[in-house]
Amino acid sequence: MTTKTTTSLKPADVEKQWIVVDAQDAVVGRLATFIAMRLRGKHRPDYTPNVDCGDHVVVINADKVKFTGRKLDQKTYYWHTGHPGGVKERTAGKILAGRFPERVLEKAVERMLPKESPLARKQLTHLKLYNGAEHPHAAQNPQVVDFVSLNAKNSRSQ
């Protein structure tokens, strides 16, 4: 006889894993959805929305991500300085060519997590972005996830 009860995770019961994703030639939006799902824990069968049950995600080659279409020139990021008339803007191409290119992927993932939530802010701290192929998290024995080979649309050659 089957029971109709839903199990709910407790924070002490969660076993977090570490995964490494190579972002070389990966499409930004598809990669960000994959990372956001892993950070929240929605890939788990015992997912609980109010518990941090996601994994730690390490992304290498975050500066080598790709956009589809004309988003490199047309996608614009806005922010406000706090002064009157202080709205600033920058295109995705300028950010990728600039000093901190990993912020493109960081913003994409951040905007896919719930808004104004302490849990989402905590889950975002489990995302580690690195521009090169090296990362300092080898001691955690992370699993390597080949994101590009999961679907043909996940990569962009140009």
Side-chain angles (χ1 to χ4, degrees):
M1 182 162 155
T2 61
T3 59
K4 294 184 179 181
T5 60
T6 303
T7 59
S8 181
L9 273 181
K10 293 178 180 58
D13 299 339
V14 177
E15 292 182 15
K16 291 183 167 292
Q17 296 180 355
W18 284 75
I19 64 167
V20 173
V21 179
D22 189 2
Q24 174 103 27
D25 296 331
V27 177
V28 173
R30 288 176 164 267
L31 180 60
T33 56
F34 176 78
I35 293 171
M37 191 174 75
R38 294 302 289 243
L39 285 175
R40 291 204 63 202
K42 293 188 93 170
H43 64 286
R44 298 171 56 117
D46 55 354
Y47 167 70
T48 307
N50 61 330
V51 176
D52 183 14
C53 55
D55 295 337
H56 293 270
V57 180
V58 178
V59 180
I60 56 175
N61 295 319
D63 56 339
K64 295 180 178 73
V65 293
K66 302 288 183 185
F67 283 97
T68 58
R70 296 172 56 193
K71 291 187 195 86
L72 201 62
D73 303 321
Q74 292 181 344
K75 183 168 181 57
T76 307
Y77 294 94
Y78 296 97
W79 71 97
H80 198 283
T81 62
H83 295 285
V87 177
K88 303 285 185 177
E89 65 179 44
R90 193 169 292 150
T91 63
K94 286 185 181 178
I95 294 176
L96 279 176
R99 191 168 159 203
F100 301 106
E102 71 275 3
R103 288 185 182 168
V104 168
L105 189 57
E106 182 181 8
K107 276 294 178 191
V109 172
E110 177 185 336
R111 291 170 179 175
M112 289 182 186
L113 293 176
K115 309 298 183 271
E116 299 177 10
S117 163
L119 181 61
R121 284 191 291 273
K122 182 180 179 190
Q123 289 169 343
L124 192 62
T125 62
H126 299 149
L127 174 65
K128 312 293 184 197
L129 297 168
Y130 299 100
N131 288 334
E134 301 296 320
H135 64 87
H137 304 286
Q140 282 76 22
N141 297 323
Q143 291 179 267
V144 177
V145 175
D146 191 9
F147 171 75
V148 173
S149 69
L150 294 177
N151 191 338
K153 294 180 180 180
N154 288 347
S155 68
R156 192 86 169 168
S157 61
Q158 50 178 344

